[in-house]
Amino acid sequence: MGRFVARRLLQMIPVFLGTTALIFFMVHVLPGDPVAAMWGDKAADPAQLAAKRHQLGLDQPLLQQYVTYMGHLLTGDFGTTMGQRKVIDVISAAMPVTVRLTLMAFGVEVVFGVLIGLFAGLRRGKAFDKGTLVITLLLISIPVPVLGFLFQTVFADQLKLVTPTVQDSMNFGQLLLPAVVLGSLSLAYVARLTRTSIVENVRADYMRTAVAKGLPRRRVIGTHLLRNSMIPVITFLGTDLGALMGGAIVTESIFNVKGVGNAMYHAINQSDGATVSGFVAVLVLVFLAASLIVDLLYAVLDPRIRYA
Amino acid sequence: MPDLIEKKKTEAVAVSAPEKPEKARSLGSDAWQELRRNPVFLLSAALILLLIVITIAPGLFTSVDPRAGDLRNHYLSKPSYGHLFQDDWFGYDGQGRSIYARVIYGARASIIVGTCVTAAVTVFGGLLGMLAGYFGGWVDTLLSRITDIFFGIPLLLGALVVLNAFTARTVWSVVFALVALGWTQMARVMRGSVITVKQADYVTAARALGAGTPRILFKHILPNAVAPVIVVATIALGGYIATEATLSFLGIGLQDPTISWGIDINSAQNVIRTAPHVLFFPAGMLSLTVLAFIMLGDAVRDALDPKLR
């Protein structure tokens, strides 16, 4: 187990370096000169431009810039934005909002997705199952911007249950609607995956054995069936956490949430390489951590899976 | 068990040539038999056919110029639902352009992006996945790590960065961005599928008969490993259409001379409370299109997966 974790952690290093390098180069080949943009519409003095470039290290070859950047990153220095703010400040202002939003969406998705999938799978072919299939299909088909406006109109404008946009980005009640919108697509996938998995496993031999042993229904379903059916769901959830944080950009723009998506959108528009790279580095770390946790959860869920 | 393997083999071999008549029905023709009787498949196929006709010949459905705005046609005036197929059927948008005409012409961008991205990621990702799965060893390690690197970037964020590099964005820049970041899923599915297939006896038999690597790869392994890829590709197609619309909605996808439902949804958001129909029609068409492709993918999966029979 320990060796497996160590090996996985080592494997993460090239992936982390590769992903950050990829984004770093992509951002830096963007057209538009961020240094010239600092002067606005005024024509800048070439000597001043060159001095500023030198000060920001933008006159060095790209590879050297990347190595310098990664060196700073290892010491926890994320650099400064084009507006001379510390990138770490921008990240620590936006990150808690998105983490909160994402975790709320994740919670909604896991709890409701698994429950709905479980009941639909146990009642295969019945009205609840068919209803679940139709509704999840609709949720998957409606693109997030459309769903956002739909929920905003119905729950905020018509029913007046919540405020249409978020004024205070750390307020749980106000984040609820965006979280539901953000999580709904994944909720549909989780419900469908759980349902398929339950349908496949409900007729398995170990289920018959468990029932024959006289175990109470709660235990048969809760321990034997659900635990064995969770593997594909966990696999999906592991990759989904990163996707949710990246996908929050749309939800954040509709509901005016000041989170990572919002900050990255502005950074990309300003060709602000340091900020974009910083955010991507953090997101990739989250993504890698989630996939490691998923691999470890496999062994917890299914003792037949062992890591030497 | 032996006859099960036997059955699987005959089924699998025939995937490559479903058109050949056989005594035992192949997986391909079996799937086709099942699909023909599936109302979900028929409905989604009809919808997709209609969308393809609209894509090729939008002029058949409307004679109005979707870019011609006449500010006398006010967006606050209600749609005239009685005027079927006329320019005021769905009302007008903020610039007095016919929403009906824009909804019709908007299909082209979505369908082109969806089909081209799917075709490209299937070929490119499928090829890489096949090589990684078949050769194993350092080829697999290298290709898998590259896949991991691209997989670690969230699709939407990566596409934002790539698309920002284009000053004039067309349908093809969106296709490029989505292919550049979307191929990993196909590579992973194909790799897994090839690893299962390459251990089969018929691959060993083919090699024993002296077949070369390309022949084994494309004649024996590919036909047997391609079914999961087809299923994932069909479902992903709807997802790519939704992603294009989302990017256009964020203002970083397609740009104005191109007509896209995503752009129209973006411009409708300012008038959503006073004139909801401006949002409703492009959003509805978009959802319907995505729905059609996802239903098709669902039906194809059910037909190709014998476990669900």
Side-chain angles (χ1 to χ4, degrees):
Chain A
M1 188 75 175
R3 276 186 61 192
F4 172 76
V5 175
R7 206 174 62 218
R8 279 298 310 261
L9 285 174
L10 284 179
Q11 277 179 355
M12 281 181 182
I13 295 172
V15 175
F16 177 74
L17 289 177
T19 311
T20 43
L22 193 65
I23 283 288
F24 192 86
F25 293 124
M26 276 183 352
V27 175
H28 282 83
V29 297
L30 289 187
D33 186 345
V35 179
M38 284 178 181
W39 270 262
D41 288 336
K42 265 193 299 184
D45 174 24
Q48 276 184 328
L49 267 180
K52 193 76 196 168
R53 269 206 193 93
H54 182 73
Q55 185 203 336
L56 293 171
L58 292 175
D59 53 349
Q60 289 165 342
L62 209 48
L63 193 65
Q64 198 181 340
Q65 282 186 44
Y66 175 69
V67 173
T68 319
Y69 176 76
M70 286 313 283
H72 287 305
L73 205 61
L74 284 179
T75 59
D77 177 11
F78 280 74
T80 50
T81 68
M82 284 299 159
Q84 296 306 308
R85 264 181 92 192
K86 276 198 164 17
V87 173
I88 191 78
D89 290 346
V90 180
I91 293 179
S92 53
M95 213 61 187
V97 177
T98 297
V99 167
R100 185 169 287 200
L101 181 66
T102 308
L103 285 182
M104 285 170 74
F106 198 68
V108 168
E109 157 191 349
V110 173
V111 173
F112 289 99
V114 170
L115 279 182
I116 292 171
L118 176 68
F119 286 116
L122 289 175
R123 291 170 179 71
R124 186 186 183 189
K126 301 273 170 56
F128 182 80
D129 182 31
K130 286 188 175 143
T132 305
L133 285 180
V134 172
I135 290 173
T136 49
L137 191 63
L138 284 178
L139 275 183
I140 293 172
S141 310
I142 301 178
V144 181
V146 178
L147 196 71
F149 287 127
L150 195 71
F151 276 29
Q152 205 176 37
T153 312
V154 173
F155 293 108
D157 295 343
Q158 305 287 326
L159 299 176
K160 305 217 182 296
L161 291 175
V162 283
T163 50
T165 52
V166 176
Q167 274 98 44
D168 170 12
S169 293
M170 290 299 271
N171 182 314
F172 268 110
Q174 294 189 357
L175 281 181
L176 196 60
L177 190 62
V180 170
V181 171
L182 180 60
S184 59
L185 176 65
S186 309
L187 187 151
Y189 278 116
V190 170
R192 292 197 137 213
L193 274 174
T194 312
R195 177 194 170 272
T196 314
S197 196
I198 294 278
V199 166
E200 268 176 29
N201 285 330
V202 83
R203 284 178 298 190
D205 289 343
Y206 62 80
M207 283 296 289
R208 210 181 318 149
T209 314
V211 174
K213 275 197 299 188
L215 289 179
R217 189 175 155 79
R218 271 185 86 84
R219 199 169 158 74
V220 174
I221 290 172
T223 316
H224 293 248
L225 179 60
L226 205 54
R227 192 166 154 179
N228 277 290
S229 308
M230 278 297 104
I231 294 238
V233 183
I234 295 284
T235 311
F236 173 78
L237 289 176
T239 53
D240 195 48
L241 200 59
L244 277 182
M245 296 188 85
I249 190 164
V250 183
T251 326
E252 286 179 3
S253 108
I254 294 174
F255 292 99
N256 182 38
V257 183
K258 301 271 177 271
V260 169
N262 199 309
M264 278 201 68
Y265 184 72
H266 290 296
I268 292 171
N269 274 339
Q270 293 164 1
S271 306
D272 189 343
T275 314
V276 178
S277 309
F279 273 114
V280 171
V282 175
L283 286 180
V284 170
L285 277 182
V286 172
F287 183 79
L288 290 175
S291 64
L292 177 67
I293 294 172
V294 165
D295 275 356
L296 297 178
L297 274 179
Y298 286 157
V300 175
L301 286 173
D302 188 346
R304 284 172 299 185
I305 299 176
R306 282 189 201 287
Y307 299 116
Chain B
M1 198 61 188
D3 58 59
L4 211 153
I5 294 172
E6 201 57 39
K7 185 167 166 255
K8 213 174 170 183
K9 259 198 280 180
T10 45
E11 277 177 355
V13 168
V15 174
S16 60
E19 69 277 6
K20 276 185 201 161
E22 282 191 7
K23 274 176 205 155
R25 278 197 315 197
S26 67
L27 180 64
S29 70
D30 229 18
W32 174 237
Q33 290 295 328
E34 175 149 337
L35 280 179
R36 265 195 346 196
R37 277 178 279 125
N38 186 345
V40 172
F41 171 77
L42 294 178
L43 185 69
S44 55
L47 257 174
I48 290 169
L49 211 63
L50 179 68
L51 283 165
I52 292 173
V53 176
I54 291 179
T55 303
I56 297 170
L60 284 178
F61 296 84
T62 174
S63 51
V64 190
D65 181 357
R67 293 185 184 86
D70 181 350
L71 290 179
R72 278 171 301 180
N73 298 326
H74 202 272
Y75 69 92
L76 285 174
S77 57
K78 291 268 173 286
S80 335
Y81 295 113
H83 299 180
L84 299 180
F85 303 110
Q86 289 173 28
D87 55 344
D88 58 350
W89 190 15
F90 294 164
Y92 297 95
D93 70 0
Q95 299 183 49
R97 297 174 298 196
S98 161
I99 292 178
Y100 172 62
R102 291 191 69 80
V103 159
I104 289 293
Y105 278 85
R108 184 171 281 175
S110 290
I111 298 292
I112 289 180
V113 168
T115 47
C116 291
V117 172
T118 309
V121 293
T122 309
V123 172
F124 182 64
L127 205 62
L128 285 186
M130 193 160 77
L131 294 179
Y134 182 72
F135 289 107
W138 66 268
V139 178
D140 184 23
T141 312
L142 183 71
L143 289 177
S144 293
R145 284 295 93 73
I146 295 177
T147 314
D148 283 350
I149 288 173
F150 279 86
F151 196 76
I153 304 174
L155 178 68
L156 211 54
L157 287 184
L160 278 176
V161 176
V162 174
L163 282 171
N164 226 310
F166 292 92
T167 33
R169 294 185 297 272
T170 61
V171 171
W172 303 112
S173 13
V174 176
V175 169
F176 173 80
L178 291 183
V179 173
L181 292 148
W183 59 271
T184 51
Q185 192 190 11
M186 296 300 165
R188 289 182 159 206
V189 174
M190 190 56 141
R191 176 177 170 273
S193 183
V194 166
I195 286 178
T196 356
V197 167
K198 79 168 178 186
Q199 281 142 4
D201 290 338
Y202 54 79
V203 176
T204 322
R207 194 173 295 123
L209 285 169
T213 304
R215 190 179 168 82
I216 292 178
L217 268 179
F218 289 101
K219 286 272 174 188
H220 297 272
I221 289 187
L222 184 63
N224 295 308
V226 82
V229 179
I230 292 177
V231 170
V232 174
T234 330
I235 296 179
L237 209 162
Y240 293 132
I241 291 179
T243 312
E244 179 274 306
T246 308
L247 286 167
S248 301
F249 165 77
L250 286 171
I252 201 82
L254 297 172
Q255 287 169 323
D256 205 7
T258 315
I259 299 168
S260 147
W261 296 327
I263 300 176
D264 286 359
I265 292 172
N266 183 9
S267 50
Q269 63 175 317
N270 299 323
V271 296
I272 173 173
R273 282 173 188 83
T274 43
H277 66 272
V278 181
L279 176 76
F280 178 77
F281 290 103
M285 265 310 262
L286 174 63
S287 305
L288 203 63
T289 309
V290 179
L291 182 71
F293 280 103
I294 289 181
M295 287 199 316
L296 184 80
D298 259 12
V300 170
R301 184 192 53 209
D302 289 352
L304 279 178
D305 189 355
K307 241 198 290 184
L308 294 171
R309 296 248 174 86

